[in-house]
Amino acid sequence: MSSNPSNEKNDLDVEASPRRVNDPEPVVGELKDVSHADAALDFLRSEGEVRPMTAEDEKRLVRKIDWMIMPLMWCCYYLQYLDKTLINYANVMGLQKDAHVTPAQFSNLALIFYVTYLAFEFPHGYGMQRLPTAKYLGTMVSCWGVIVAVTSACKNYGALVTTRVLLGCFESAVAPSLILITSMWYKRNEQPPRVGIWYLGTGTGTIIGSLISYGFQHYKSHTFTSWQIMFLIVGLVTICVGILVVFLLPDNPMKSRLTHEEKVWAVERLRENMTGIENKQLKLPQVLECFRDPQTWLLSLITISSNVPNGAISSFQATLIKSFGYTSETTALLQIPSGAVSIIAILSATYLAGRYNQRGIQIVLLLIPGMLGGALMAFLPAHNKVGKLVGIYLTNAIGSSLPLLYSWVSANYGGHSKKVTMNAILLMSFCIGNIIGPLSFTATSAPDYNPAKITIIITCAFAAVVTVVLQLYYVRENKRRDRLAGEGKQGHLKDVEFADMTDRENSEFRYKL
């Protein structure tokens, strides 16, 4: 590899002379060495020319891509959410009594899941970097399906702990995989609605999970309890979906079932993203840059603080509703509106974020009903069950901010290794929030749990403030780069879009708000 940082046209090696934002001289020329570049660049240079893509061609192509990958992505996220929350439905179906689990031990089960979820994010990031992403995802889906099915045989606390550890290990692959896959196929303005579609698995998971729980509570047998047969059947369905993902979900546009012409179009249309498609080399400088990047830690703070209430509500929603004096069957049905709130919030926020290029504002708007919901739960009198129920439902809007954070990372991180690293950090932050959230529900504050409800208000407010700070950082950075361009300090490197350069190395990169 050349070490000559020559700026002469047609004689530029991107690894030898990367363009840093603070470089005083503009970089111009053509990328010659593709060995360290994105896989898309090698594909484009070896596949020859195709006719130009028209607007109608692009519409048909995007529609075809949607039908090819979105249903499977939704299935993965829906099953991930359903499978991890099945234990909450099982709790009101008699799991604690049948498995001889105390309330404190049951609370630990949620904690254990997220601890292992957190611990395996970086190993999964490396696995997705080195292995075919879709095949890796499908294998993990089938593996956690096996664990869900095996949970039906658990008859004590130790067995449940084992299954929760393994479930967290395998499920931790799903969100970073789907974020990565979304960025491989869609333009940055198209990403928020697509992330919203597969993230709908949370809202639909709540609705379908409630109906599944309600239905299985009418199952009577001397062989299986209702919660055991529920775990067994859902686990078997998950295994089947994992197998379908392995065989039907493409690893990237270049290896998809699209025609040759459509493959070239699918890659070329993503030039404007400047985030690349795929690179199987782990680049340590990009990893280190991710840790030094201010946006990394601002995004992490937003994710942690917004997921404290999310973790608390997802783990204790059924318990809170049942504490109002409802039966187990009624409690299951009363959780359905929570799913409806989540679906409406996700669809509206992700659509508006893509339509108006404003992710930050949408996140703040989703946190406001969360604060209101926390206040209703904390400060309404105990006899006002309807008002407290409304408060519980409103807090389900908070979790809808997560797909916007996913799409922010997908849009604003260039360089494959940096993006994979940030996906891991984001999901680790998600885990930390979900670990802290259930801990706010202490035995001493039962049955009102007012400290936990006040925590929801405080963490939502903090997340909103940090979101505004991040948005201002992006605005300032974009203006700084525009100023450099106006002063003639920004050149253009041909094929920079697929050079696997990071957002900080590429001065032509602009951050999405």
Side-chain angles (χ1 to χ4, degrees):
M1 182 175 67
S2 171
S3 59
N4 177 22
S6 170
N7 284 343
E8 291 181 16
K9 187 174 179 62
N10 298 330
D11 190 25
L12 186 64
D13 184 324
V14 72
E15 289 295 308
S17 56
R19 171 69 173 105
R20 298 283 176 180
V21 171
N22 295 322
D23 282 349
E25 296 299 327
V27 172
V28 296
E30 180 179 356
L31 184 66
K32 283 293 187 180
D33 182 4
V34 300
S35 62
H36 296 282
D38 196 275
L41 183 56
D42 184 53
F43 171 81
L44 290 175
R45 290 190 175 181
S46 62
E47 291 301 310
E49 298 290 329
V50 298
R51 68 178 179 86
M53 178 177 62
T54 65
E56 281 302 313
D57 290 331
E58 186 170 20
K59 286 181 180 178
R60 284 193 296 270
L61 176 62
V62 173
R63 189 159 51 245
K64 186 173 181 177
I65 291 170
D66 284 340
W67 283 108
M68 182 168 59
I69 69 173
M70 292 309 303
L72 287 171
M73 294 171 74
W74 173 85
C75 283
C76 290
Y77 208 79
Y78 156 70
L79 288 170
Q80 179 258 173
Y81 185 82
L82 175 65
D83 292 353
K84 76 178 179 183
T85 55
L86 276 184
I87 198 165
N88 301 321
Y89 298 115
N91 188 39
V92 298
M93 296 164 70
L95 173 101
Q96 284 195 38
K97 179 182 177 182
D98 296 337
H100 312 291
V101 174
T102 67
Q105 289 175 328
F106 180 78
S107 296
N108 288 337
L109 292 176
L111 174 67
I112 290 165
F113 170 84
Y114 284 110
V115 168
T116 54
Y117 197 110
L118 184 153
F120 277 85
E121 283 303 335
F122 278 119
H124 281 313
Y126 180 76
M128 284 179 280
Q129 176 95 43
R130 302 294 295 170
L131 301 171
T133 306
K135 305 293 185 297
Y136 189 87
L137 171 63
T139 302
M140 294 301 107
V141 173
S142 291
C143 286
W144 91 58
V146 171
I147 301 305
V148 172
V150 168
T151 306
S152 63
C154 293
K155 296 182 179 179
N156 55 58
Y157 179 63
L160 287 170
V161 167
T162 302
T163 57
R164 295 299 284 182
V165 166
L166 293 172
L167 191 65
C169 164
F170 296 125
E171 282 203 12
S172 55
V174 67
S177 297
L178 296 181
I179 296 170
L180 210 55
I181 291 169
T182 303
S183 68
M184 290 179 182
W185 290 92
Y186 295 105
K187 293 179 179 179
R188 293 200 285 177
N189 67 303
E190 297 168 346
Q191 289 170 11
R194 268 64 183 196
V195 173
I197 289 172
W198 55 256
Y199 192 82
L200 281 177
T202 56
T204 51
T206 300
I207 294 174
I208 298 173
S210 299
L211 294 172
I212 289 173
S213 173
Y214 178 78
F216 278 115
Q217 286 181 56
H218 294 84
Y219 171 85
K220 307 296 180 184
S221 171
H222 296 295
T223 306
F224 292 105
T225 64
S226 57
W227 64 266
Q228 284 178 316
I229 194 68
M230 179 177 69
F231 272 108
L232 179 61
I233 291 177
V234 173
L236 293 174
V237 170
T238 303
I239 294 169
C240 293
V241 170
I243 294 171
L244 288 176
V245 169
V246 169
F247 287 103
L248 297 181
L249 186 64
D251 291 309
N252 56 53
M254 296 82 77
K255 298 179 181 178
S256 66
R257 298 185 299 277
L258 299 174
T259 66
H260 174 263
E261 186 176 58
E262 289 170 338
K263 288 178 183 178
V264 174
W265 288 346
V267 173
E268 280 286 359
R269 65 189 291 271
L270 299 187
R271 278 187 181 274
E272 66 183 59
N273 288 1
M274 293 197 176
T275 55
I277 292 179
E278 188 174 60
N279 187 296
K280 291 302 181 184
Q281 303 173 45
L282 182 63
K283 299 179 180 179
L284 185 58
Q286 290 192 11
V287 174
L288 296 176
E289 180 182 304
C290 184
F291 283 101
R292 293 192 300 264
D293 197 332
Q295 65 169 328
T296 295
W297 303 112
L298 291 171
L299 283 163
S300 177
L301 284 174
I302 297 168
T303 307
I304 292 171
S305 53
S306 63
N307 276 281
V308 169
N310 184 54
I313 293 300
S314 64
S315 296
F316 284 90
Q317 180 170 252
T319 303
L320 288 171
I321 294 175
K322 193 174 183 181
S323 70
F324 297 154
Y326 297 110
T327 64
S328 297
E329 292 85 353
T330 304
T331 296
L333 293 177
L334 286 174
Q335 292 181 78
I336 292 176
S338 295
V341 169
S342 179
I343 289 172
I344 293 169
I346 291 167
L347 287 176
S348 57
T350 54
Y351 169 77
L352 292 172
R355 177 72 176 80
Y356 297 105
N357 186 30
Q358 290 291 341
R359 294 158 178 81
I361 291 175
Q362 301 307 320
I363 290 173
V364 173
L365 291 176
L366 290 171
L367 293 169
I368 292 173
M371 288 184 270
L372 177 60
L376 291 175
M377 289 191 293
F379 304 122
L380 281 179
H383 62 81
N384 194 341
K385 294 180 182 179
V386 174
K388 287 181 175 289
L389 262 178
V390 171
I392 292 173
Y393 296 150
L394 286 175
T395 57
N396 282 271
I398 303 169
S400 303
S401 63
L402 194 58
L404 296 173
L405 291 167
Y406 288 164
S407 67
W408 231 348
V409 170
S410 179
N412 285 346
Y413 278 77
H416 199 75
S417 294
K418 184 179 181 182
K419 187 182 299 183
V420 167
T421 304
M422 184 56 207
N423 287 344
I425 293 173
L426 186 74
L427 270 296
M428 291 174 74
S429 304
F430 163 80
C431 291
I432 292 171
N434 279 276
I435 288 169
I436 296 171
L439 295 177
S440 64
F441 282 80
T442 60
T444 55
S445 64
D448 294 329
Y449 299 110
N450 272 338
K453 297 168 185 175
I454 294 172
T455 299
I456 290 173
I457 302 171
I458 295 171
T459 52
C460 283
F462 178 77
V465 171
V466 180
T467 300
V468 173
V469 171
L470 178 60
Q471 189 125 2
L472 292 175
Y473 169 77
Y474 285 147
V475 170
R476 191 187 73 169
E477 183 63 21
N478 285 343
K479 286 182 177 179
R480 190 177 73 84
R481 297 182 183 208
D482 289 342
R483 187 178 69 253
L484 287 174
E487 294 171 354
K489 295 180 180 179
Q490 176 179 293
H492 174 69
L493 174 66
K494 184 179 179 182
D495 290 326
V496 67
E497 302 89 351
F498 298 123
D500 197 40
M501 295 171 70
T502 69
D503 52 284
R504 292 171 71 83
E505 290 174 332
N506 180 8
S507 64
E508 297 180 54
F509 190 94
R510 297 295 183 271
Y511 294 99
K512 293 293 185 180
L513 306 180

